[in-house]
Amino acid sequence: MSIELGHFALILACAIALASSIGGLTLWRSGERLASVLAQSAILQFVLVAVAFLAVVQAFATSDFSLALAANNSHSLKPLIFKISGVWGNHEGSLLLWILILVLFGALVAAFGRRLPADLLNLVLGTQSLLVVAFGGFTLFTSNPFARLAQPPIEGADLNPILQDIGLAIHPPLLYAGYVGFSICFSFAIAALISGRIDQAWARWVRPWTMLSWIFLTLGIAMGSYWAYYELGWGGWWFWDPVENASFMPWLAGTALLHSALVMEKRNALKIWTIFLSIITFSLSLLGTFLVRSGILTSVHTFASDPTRGLVILAILAVLIGGAFLLFALRASALRQGGLFAPISREGALILNNLFLATAVGAILVGTLYPLVLDALIGTTISVGAPFFDLTFGALMAPLLLVLPFGPLLPWKRADMVAAGQRLIGAAGLAIFLTILVSALGGVSISLAPLGLLLGFWVTFGAFAELIERGKIGRIPVRESLRRLAGLPRSIWSTAIGHMGLGLTVLGIVSVTAWETELVTTLNPGETTQLAGYSLAFDDFSQIPGPNYMADTGHFTLTAPGGGTTNLEAERRTYVASGMPTTEAAIATFGLSQFYLQLGEPLDNTHVVRIWHKPYILLIWLGAIVMAGAGVLSLTDRRLRVGAPQRATKHVMEPAE
Amino acid sequence: MAFAANRLIEGAAFLKAGSKRPEPMIFWLIAIAVTAIACAALLYAGRGRPVNAAGDESADTTSHFRQLLAGIDSDLAAGKINADEAIGAKGELAREMIRAKSEAKPAAVGLGRAALVSGAALVAAIALGGYALLGSPNIPAQPLASRADVAAQNMDIDAAISRIETRLAEDPNDIRGWTVLAPALVQVGRFTDGANAYGRVIALSQPTAQLLTDQAEALLLAADGAGSDEAMTLLRQATELDPTDPQPQLYLAAELTRTAKYDDAARYWQSAIDLASGAEPWLPAARQGLAVAQNDGVDTTASDQAEMIGGMVESLSTRLYDEGGTIEEWTQLVRSYIVLGDLPNAQKAYDASVAAYPTAFERGELDTLALSAGLKLNGDAQ
């Protein structure tokens, strides 16, 4: 009965959301009484959807195949962790997770938003409930996770083996938290447009939500990239796959939003642009979530390819996004612009940042959708591949990275470029020196590598310029400098660390792109091969049964140039239920570099073996983690802490950025 | 397999004295209680207990401006801006604050009791009605732990068969028992017994085309595909009973082709093909069978096919060498040459595709295919 109770809980939650959205969006002037009803409703929605979600998790955990979803996606022999993560390894279940996170964020606003003006809270919770109705209705009527089987099969159909990985337990929840978190910014934007009121308090509320969502999205994308890297067995970490692009676009837009909300909060400028970005970011999130499910794309991410669902999705997207932009067009002019500034200023730098990021989003959007549109209109199939994206995105990012270190050094309103430049001379010198050194030592295989390296070092070191300036490092005693650094607002630290993280990622990308070496060869057990100074010996080959698969395992010994040896095991698995093969690459880590080995198909006694040496590849994901960490640090800044009470007087020096 | 298991579960149900289903009543009681609690919680929240204290908003705004003011002072103290700039900034701040204060607050709209109660009623109606539309309260949970027993009971086909056989020995005229037993016997490989069981069903009821075909099928299986006179008679009867069913005609055509009676065979092949709607999986085989029968047993399609494949490979290769193509197309070309046994051309195509796709990363499938066929990886791709 728990499954049916879960089903009922989901329907009840949608009914409550429907009433909330009608009440919130029509009676939003009703003040505190309505606000407390809507807050209660948001919390009820969360509790009920959580019950629904747990009912599905329980059905998966106990292999209750009377739930069609479990029968189609689970298997009684799967380890428990994969049974649970299998809940969202499919279209219906992942929608349920999406809704769970949506109502969780709604409940958080209800819980922490007691100090928000009642009108704003009513509109925000009303909009949030409208989203719950749209996605809840879509789930219940076209993709119901609670469909039952009166006569359950003895055994389930199993989950796609590629998804039977710890990555599935982490990547989608993080990514969805990121996508869905931007719904809060969207709801705040809609609320501002409807009420016609937008001020710095609004920006101060939106920024932590943007930051929180951005952190999740950053980690989600990085995790997805690393997962693809080690699981898909091709050794690549980014494919410009439409679905990757779909997650990357909201990230870029969210990054722009993060910076424009800063301008709005500090200087009360860029209001309309910030609202616009809030809508764009969430619209791109929706596109990301639903492009996957519409059946117009095919990739590892594709769940549903049912034309009816596709049409409903299109209708939901059209109503939500179209409605939001219509509202924007009608109401944006009613919002008052404020805050004047000179072109060369912190504001100017942040606008430049937004300009480049928005253009990059546009380029990726065109590259992703153009083939689909072309296919639909004139039936020509073209493929916009990595070269297009590498070129356009690279060309857009290079100038952005070039000016990035200047941004934090420029004062608000009016700034002196030369003064900022002077403070960056050290970083520039260090970057040039290291680039020449590395290029001389490493040998240059593609012509753009030194430029990329230079940019990476420049961003990484430039990030510290403000800290050095503020800490007066080198100009006063070290102890005094450390005291000053420790006393700096966390927002300054998080800016520096966040930008440094970006620099690290750039360095990783450049290093792998330019200096990666690869080898494809056939190898018999007992033979040895060489790559990049490493020596790889194929020791033996055996067949080992796993819990729900059979594995052909190759045992290798890798000898590093320095002399240390590592044992590697690369597998080819065949899953019992589906008969599908997967490859499990063996990865050996040396510092920040990795040695990647994939066992190919056996040919009698010989095996095709693919080997890559990937110098400093870990910097790519390390950079992302550093960026997310900087975001967390920024959230702990008192100024931004969600729901933190404001002190009546300020004793601590405020950041004067 | 699933088919036979379902039939057996049916059979077991008919042997056992019914099964127990939990009453959906308890479910509805819980559902109504949950709805009532949720609506009560909403109504309670709407009673008027203020959550946002009045004046909070302006206090919030004021503290925000105070922070900005402190920021300007600290900038001034730190020497980041001079006194004139500080005064200008403070002036701008003051204007902003006056504007925020003077901004007319929209008129408040009251939230009546009627609106609240009708909202709660809406929630209850939609939830319970929606569930009545979508839910299946009658289906019990069947986790593996409990299902395993039932499954073990039902899945022991041999035991179930012997139980039904015992029962049929007492009452040989129980048509339902024979109906369940016949496909199960075929399923476990007791074809002759299965054919006999179908025979009992037919004797106890009206012969239908399906039953006759099933019996003939069991006989064919028992004879390893060779058609006995008995089977052929059954199939002819089935065809007469239902001329629109292609299945018995296909069996007849195949058997007649096998025994070299090509004229009759061609007639049945043609008749079955005429009955097809176009999507049937057996259609290509039937067309081939017809061609064989029409040529008195000579399979001409094989050489035609080889010629056709050769032509397709030729056109693909011309296009790829002239215009290039995706890595999948190159892989297809290399595979085709390997399948045709044309290794020199396969090597040539492989070299060309390596030149077009120098990164091994993109050539995963192709490399495996080529290396396994003994081709060599030339060029600078290593």
Side-chain angles (χ1 to χ4, degrees):
Chain A
M1 193 156 59
S2 64
I3 297 174
E4 289 305 310
L5 284 176
H7 192 182
F8 181 73
L10 183 61
I11 296 175
L12 181 58
C14 290
I16 293 176
L18 180 66
S20 280
S21 61
I22 296 173
L25 293 176
T26 56
L27 305 171
W28 56 275
R29 288 199 181 87
S30 308
E32 281 83 25
R33 271 182 83 184
L34 180 66
S36 73
V37 175
L38 293 183
Q40 184 80 288
S41 138
I43 288 162
L44 278 174
Q45 286 172 38
F46 170 64
V47 171
L48 288 167
V49 175
V51 166
F53 190 76
L54 287 178
V56 176
V57 169
Q58 197 215 5
F60 270 75
T62 59
S63 296
D64 187 340
F65 297 144
S66 70
L67 185 72
L69 192 66
N72 292 333
N73 296 290
S74 197
H75 193 282
S76 63
L77 292 178
K78 262 201 310 190
L80 184 63
I81 171 85
F82 296 151
K83 281 182 186 168
I84 293 174
S85 63
V87 170
W88 54 81
N90 56 77
H91 168 66
E92 290 85 354
S94 65
L95 266 180
L96 193 60
L97 177 66
W98 215 89
I99 296 173
L100 178 69
I101 297 174
L102 189 65
V103 292
L104 170 67
F105 274 91
L108 286 176
V109 172
F112 290 114
R114 308 261 160 173
R115 289 172 51 85
L116 275 176
D119 290 356
L120 185 61
L121 188 60
N122 288 343
L123 283 168
V124 169
L125 291 178
T127 313
Q128 200 71 13
S129 294
L130 187 67
L131 295 174
V132 176
V133 174
F135 299 122
F138 175 68
T139 306
L140 285 171
F141 288 103
T142 72
S143 335
N144 197 333
F146 289 100
R148 302 291 302 274
L149 296 172
Q151 299 208 330
I154 302 304
E155 198 42 272
D158 211 354
L159 180 69
N160 182 345
I162 288 175
L163 299 180
Q164 293 190 29
D165 187 275
I166 190 72
L168 182 64
I170 307 171
H171 166 61
L174 280 175
L175 202 63
Y176 287 4
Y179 280 161
V180 178
F182 286 121
S183 72
I184 298 291
C185 310
F186 176 82
S187 295
F188 267 90
I190 298 296
L193 288 173
I194 293 180
S195 68
R197 278 164 55 87
I198 176 169
D199 46 31
Q200 281 159 298
W202 183 92
R204 221 182 54 218
W205 265 93
V206 167
R207 212 155 94 75
W209 292 108
T210 312
M211 184 57 95
L212 193 65
S213 316
W214 182 87
I215 293 168
F216 281 126
L217 198 55
T218 308
L219 290 175
I221 293 174
M223 176 69 215
S225 156
Y226 191 68
W227 184 17
Y229 166 73
Y230 75 71
E231 179 68 31
L232 292 184
W234 301 120
W237 52 274
W238 191 261
F239 301 85
W240 295 110
D241 169 292
V243 179
E244 285 176 332
N245 294 348
S247 73
F248 194 45
M249 287 187 284
W251 186 85
L252 289 171
T255 311
L257 177 61
L258 210 56
H259 289 88
S260 82
L262 190 72
V263 178
M264 183 168 161
E265 183 194 7
K266 290 285 179 194
R267 293 282 305 129
N268 207 16
L270 296 190
K271 286 176 181 180
I272 294 174
W273 173 243
T274 305
I275 296 256
F276 184 73
L277 267 184
S278 302
I279 297 175
I280 283 275
T281 306
F282 184 59
S283 303
L284 290 170
S285 295
L286 287 181
L287 197 70
T289 318
F290 290 98
L291 206 56
V292 188
R293 299 155 198 279
S294 58
I296 48 178
L297 291 181
T298 315
S299 83
V300 273
H301 295 91
T302 314
F303 291 134
S305 47
D306 169 2
T308 357
R309 279 179 189 160
L311 275 181
V312 178
I313 288 167
L314 213 60
I316 292 180
L317 286 184
V319 169
L320 284 179
I321 301 178
F325 281 117
L326 184 68
L327 193 64
F328 181 81
L330 294 175
R331 300 283 297 178
S333 55
L335 298 173
R336 190 181 156 279
Q337 275 289 22
L340 301 170
F341 50 87
I344 305 266
S345 63
R346 177 80 69 90
E347 294 94 321
L350 288 167
I351 287 178
L352 200 63
N353 147 308
N354 270 227
L355 224 56
F356 278 114
L357 288 174
T359 316
V361 170
I364 297 178
L365 190 66
V366 168
T368 310
L369 294 184
Y370 181 64
L372 301 177
V373 174
L374 205 65
D375 191 18
L377 290 185
I378 41 176
T380 317
T381 313
I382 63 156
S383 131
V384 175
F388 167 82
F389 291 109
D390 286 344
L391 198 67
T392 46
F393 189 71
L396 282 167
M397 283 304 110
L400 178 63
L401 295 174
L402 196 63
V403 298
L404 186 146
F406 287 97
L409 293 172
L410 299 176
W412 294 103
K413 291 185 80 173
R414 192 177 304 113
D416 183 358
M417 201 67 175
V418 179
Q422 280 168 354
R423 294 184 220 157
L424 285 168
I425 284 177
L430 198 57
I432 291 170
F433 172 71
L434 279 175
T435 303
I436 292 172
L437 192 69
V438 172
S439 303
L441 290 181
V444 182
S445 59
I446 61 169
S447 55
L448 286 174
L451 179 65
L453 217 51
L454 187 63
L455 280 174
F457 281 127
W458 163 244
V459 171
T460 310
F461 297 130
F464 290 104
E466 192 182 14
L467 292 178
I468 291 169
E469 171 73 16
R470 295 245 181 175
K472 294 196 167 60
I473 289 168
R475 284 180 281 158
I476 53 173
V478 175
R479 181 185 293 269
E480 181 70 6
S481 280
L482 286 178
R483 199 192 59 75
R484 285 185 69 101
L485 282 177
L488 283 178
R490 287 185 189 163
S491 60
I492 290 178
W493 276 101
S494 74
T495 305
I497 295 173
H499 288 168
M500 180 191 82
L502 179 63
L504 293 180
T505 298
V506 171
L507 285 175
I509 293 171
V510 171
S511 164
V512 169
T513 312
W515 286 284
E516 173 184 282
T517 45
E518 53 184 291
L519 173 68
V520 185
T521 184
T522 54
L523 219 54
N524 285 314
E527 287 181 349
T528 303
T529 188
Q530 309 282 334
L531 178 72
Y534 293 80
S535 159
L536 182 78
F538 190 175
D539 299 332
D540 60 68
F541 175 79
S542 58
Q543 290 200 316
I544 303 169
N548 53 345
Y549 57 83
M550 274 298 298
D552 292 350
T553 310
H555 301 268
F556 298 84
T557 308
L558 182 68
T559 312
T565 63
T566 314
N567 288 318
L568 293 176
E569 281 184 12
E571 289 187 350
R572 293 177 57 79
R573 293 180 181 168
T574 309
Y575 281 76
V576 176
S578 55
M580 267 182 75
T582 68
T583 57
E584 297 290 318
I587 300 175
T589 305
F590 299 93
L592 292 168
S593 308
Q594 286 191 328
F595 194 92
Y596 190 109
L597 189 158
Q598 192 225 330
L599 187 65
E601 277 166 24
L603 327 159
D604 305 326
N605 260 338
T606 317
H607 296 260
V608 178
V609 174
R610 290 159 216 282
I611 319 161
W612 288 268
H613 178 248
K614 297 177 174 290
Y616 297 98
I617 188 163
L618 287 182
L619 279 179
I620 296 174
W621 304 293
L622 188 68
I625 292 171
V626 169
M627 279 189 261
V632 174
L633 188 67
S634 158
L635 274 185
T636 63
D637 192 303
R638 185 165 193 88
R639 191 171 49 89
L640 273 182
R641 207 177 299 158
V642 179
Q646 296 294 325
R647 281 169 294 186
T649 51
K650 288 268 166 189
H651 299 295
V652 184
M653 191 180 80
E654 266 295 297
E657 343 153 34
Chain B
M1 193 63 197
F3 168 73
N6 280 343
R7 286 281 189 93
L8 275 175
I9 289 166
E10 255 173 55
F14 122 84
L15 285 172
K16 281 195 292 180
S19 61
K20 52 180 192 291
R21 283 269 163 92
E23 283 295 314
M25 208 47 147
I26 308 163
F27 168 81
W28 280 109
L29 286 178
I30 298 178
I32 290 168
V34 170
T35 314
I37 293 169
C39 290
L42 290 176
L43 289 174
Y44 177 75
R47 263 180 189 285
R49 186 174 50 90
V51 180
N52 297 33
D56 218 1
E57 183 190 356
S58 62
D60 202 43
T61 320
T62 314
S63 81
H64 174 73
F65 283 116
R66 203 170 281 137
Q67 275 180 43
L68 290 176
L69 192 61
I72 294 171
D73 284 340
S74 69
D75 274 3
L76 181 62
K80 294 193 73 169
I81 51 177
N82 61 36
D84 285 349
E85 282 171 340
I87 290 169
K90 282 179 183 172
E92 193 188 315
L93 201 60
R95 278 194 296 280
E96 186 65 25
M97 193 165 159
I98 290 164
R99 191 195 57 77
K101 288 224 159 153
S102 67
E103 202 165 59
K105 274 198 81 172
V109 178
L111 181 66
R113 190 179 242 327
L116 272 175
V117 173
S118 55
L122 181 76
V123 167
I126 292 178
L128 294 169
Y131 182 79
L133 186 69
L134 296 169
S136 355
N138 292 317
I139 301 179
Q142 301 178 51
L144 183 68
S146 74
R147 206 172 60 242
D149 302 343
V150 180
Q153 239 174 21
N154 289 331
M155 277 311 289
D156 195 350
I157 293 193
D158 291 333
I161 288 174
S162 70
R163 257 185 304 162
I164 300 173
E165 281 180 324
T166 317
R167 179 160 173 149
L168 286 170
E170 291 164 16
D171 180 8
N173 290 329
D174 182 347
I175 178 169
R176 183 149 181 212
W178 290 113
T179 311
V180 170
L181 189 61
L185 288 170
V186 172
Q187 184 74 46
V188 297
R190 287 166 61 185
F191 302 119
T192 315
D193 292 347
N196 287 340
Y198 276 118
R200 291 293 308 169
V201 176
I202 293 167
L204 289 169
S205 63
Q206 288 293 318
T208 66
Q210 186 62 52
L211 282 171
L212 291 167
T213 311
D214 284 345
Q215 190 184 6
E217 192 179 39
L219 287 169
L220 287 170
L221 287 167
D224 280 335
S228 60
D229 289 345
E230 191 187 356
M232 297 300 276
T233 313
L234 288 168
L235 288 169
R236 288 208 172 86
Q237 282 176 9
T239 310
E240 275 164 34
L241 270 178
D242 184 0
T244 63
D245 183 0
Q247 204 186 350
Q249 305 190 20
L250 286 168
Y251 278 127
L252 280 170
E255 177 58 19
L256 289 168
T257 310
R258 198 180 67 84
T259 50
K261 292 170 184 145
Y262 297 118
D263 289 346
D264 285 353
R267 194 159 49 77
Y268 281 117
W269 283 126
Q270 189 60 56
S271 160
I273 291 170
D274 290 345
L275 290 167
S277 68
E280 284 82 355
W282 48 260
L283 201 52
R287 292 210 174 103
Q288 197 176 351
L290 179 62
V292 170
Q294 282 170 341
N295 288 290
D296 287 345
V298 184
D299 191 350
T300 54
T301 50
S303 59
D304 284 354
Q305 271 175 355
E307 209 168 282
M308 199 171 70
I309 292 171
M312 276 159 59
V313 171
E314 202 52 48
S315 73
L316 178 65
S317 118
T318 314
R319 182 165 65 79
L320 288 184
Y321 281 114
D322 290 352
E323 303 166 24
T326 66
I327 185 69
E328 287 81 12
E329 289 171 326
W330 281 110
T331 309
Q332 179 66 38
L333 182 63
V334 174
R335 180 179 291 124
S336 306
Y337 278 130
I338 291 172
V339 171
L340 292 174
D342 186 355
L343 287 184
N345 263 324
Q347 179 67 54
K348 195 172 147 234
Y350 183 46
D351 291 344
S353 52
V354 170
Y357 292 90
T359 14
F361 171 68
E362 296 173 290
R363 298 193 315 262
E365 195 190 344
L366 177 60
D367 281 342
T368 309
L369 173 77
L371 292 172
S372 65
L375 303 183
K376 288 200 178 54
L377 179 58
N378 303 324
D380 56 355
Q382 305 221 347

